[in-house]
Amino acid sequence: MRMQGLGLTFITLPLVICAATGGQWCYDSQDPKCGPSHWKDFKATCGGDNQSPINIDRRRLLRDSNLGDILFEGYDQAPPGKWRLMNDGHTVMMSLEGESMMEHINITSGGLRDKYRALQFHFHWGSLTGNGSEHTIDGHQYPMEMHIVHMNVQYKSIAEAKGHPNGLAVLSFLFKASDTDNSNYNTIVAGLKNISREGDFVDLSSTFCLDNLLPDTAQLSKYYRYKGSLTTPDCSEVVIWTVFEEPILISQSQLNAFVTTVHFPATGSTLLKMTNNFRSPQPLKNRKVYASRDATISHSPMCSPSIHFLLPPLLALLIDQFSGPS
Ligand SMILES: *[C@@H]1O[C@H](CO)[C@@H](O)[C@H](O)[C@H]1NC(C)=O
Ligand SMILES: *[C@@H]1O[C@H](CO)[C@@H](O)[C@H](O)[C@H]1NC(C)=O
Ligand SMILES: *[C@@H]1O[C@H](CO)[C@@H](O)[C@H](O)[C@H]1NC(C)=O
Ligand SMILES: [Zn+2]
């Protein structure tokens, strides 16, 4: 594996994830002393009011019927270059070899005012015994989460995009364990053993459309939208988040491959498995979470106004029943 020819893509892209902060940040599974609760000491932004991930409480969503179909450009074409899989020390990341390749993949519409171009995608996962998604839905954590990071095409660089509240758009997909392998993930799962250590990368032999990795297209109009941040330092609050309702199905053994194959950066001679590389939900504060036109909203039985209208007749009925013929 030559480090030569490591394109500009790779010099700049990991900045989205690890944004040079001076101090070294990590997850609690590596060392609680530099874990998420200390990130704000490295970077004040991590203690801000618009942080990600969040718990999505489906009883408190606001419906926005302007949140219609997202237009996915280039998601249905096998890209001309090769997919490059990399261990950046915090996650497993995929991008396209060659700096301009990802420019073929964009998203727009679905309530996004601008066009955003895909930069890379990566994963967050748990352990053999615990789930590891970053976003939770109604307090429920999923086994894994994928983030496809896009940058507003108005901006020339990630540094520039980070200066604007609409600089980045991240698509988030939750994973659910199923009984059978998801064959669309075979190439990625097989590649994990080639990127066991930090800095390793491998160009995958077979190419594929990004579409193949996602849930059925018909399900993609169901999503939740809010404004937040990167989930790793520097925690820049410049991300328009889209969290899809429909999970991606993947087998337990494919999930386990992430947990058992790749490692965090070595400290001395100890190699630590890369596990629990997720940040916990952050306070929503004054923010609102919107449901897309087609997303499912659950109604709280406690607060639903209809219950107040239903209750008196129901009570009357019960009293009627129990008083019986006398
Ligand atoms: C993505 O957007 C760029 C810039 O607007 C455009 O040149 C390119 O053709 C788009 N890709 C697709 C697949 O439409
Ligand atoms: C972990 O995710 C699975 C779904 O794959 C779910 O059945 C289980 O309840 C989750 N565990 C927790 C603690 O949320
Ligand atoms: C990945 O690793 C396997 C052995 O585990 C090896 O056979 C294969 O050539 C490697 N692939 C690349 C592209 O380096
Ligand atoms: Zn992420």
Side-chain angles (χ1 to χ4, degrees), residues 163-240:
H164 303 270
N166 297 337
L168 301 173
V170 181
L171 304 184
S172 162
F173 295 89
L174 299 161
F175 286 79
K176 196 173 161 187
S178 79
D179 292 334
T180 49
D181 281 355
N182 180 336
S183 59
N184 293 322
Y185 279 82
N186 285 351
T187 329
I188 294 175
V189 170
L192 294 176
K193 61 181 181 307
N194 297 71
I195 57 156
S196 163
R197 289 169 177 252
E198 181 195 20
D200 288 352
F201 67 88
V202 64
D203 291 334
L204 301 181
S205 50
S206 59
T207 190
F208 53 83
C209 314
L210 216 39
D211 258 359
N212 290 351
L213 299 180
L214 309 187
D216 191 42
T217 311
Q219 304 294 331
L220 299 181
S221 62
K222 297 189 283 183
Y223 58 86
Y224 309 118
R225 169 69 51 77
Y226 78 99
K227 289 195 171 182
S229 73
L230 297 175
T231 66
T232 55
D234 58 5
C235 309
S236 291
E237 297 183 333
V238 297
V239 181
I240 299 175

Side-chain angles (χ1 to χ4, degrees), residues 73-74 77 103-106 115 153:
E73 292 181 339
Q77 296 152 21
E103 284 173 20
H104 296 271
I105 306 178
N106 312 309
K115 184 182 267 197
V153 297

Side-chain angles (χ1 to χ4, degrees), residues 8-30:
L8 182 64
T9 339
F10 266 95
I11 312 294
T12 55
L13 289 190
L15 290 183
V16 172
I17 309 302
C18 46
T21 54
Q24 268 308 311
W25 64 272
C26 72
Y27 291 103
D28 286 340
S29 49
Q30 283 169 275

Side-chain angles (χ1 to χ4, degrees), residues 131 139-143 175-177:
N131 291 341
H140 179 95
Q141 190 181 26
Y142 287 73
F175 286 79
K176 196 173 161 187

Side-chain angles (χ1 to χ4, degrees), residues 122 124 134 147 231:
H122 61 267
H124 300 271
E134 298 207 300
H147 291 156
T231 66

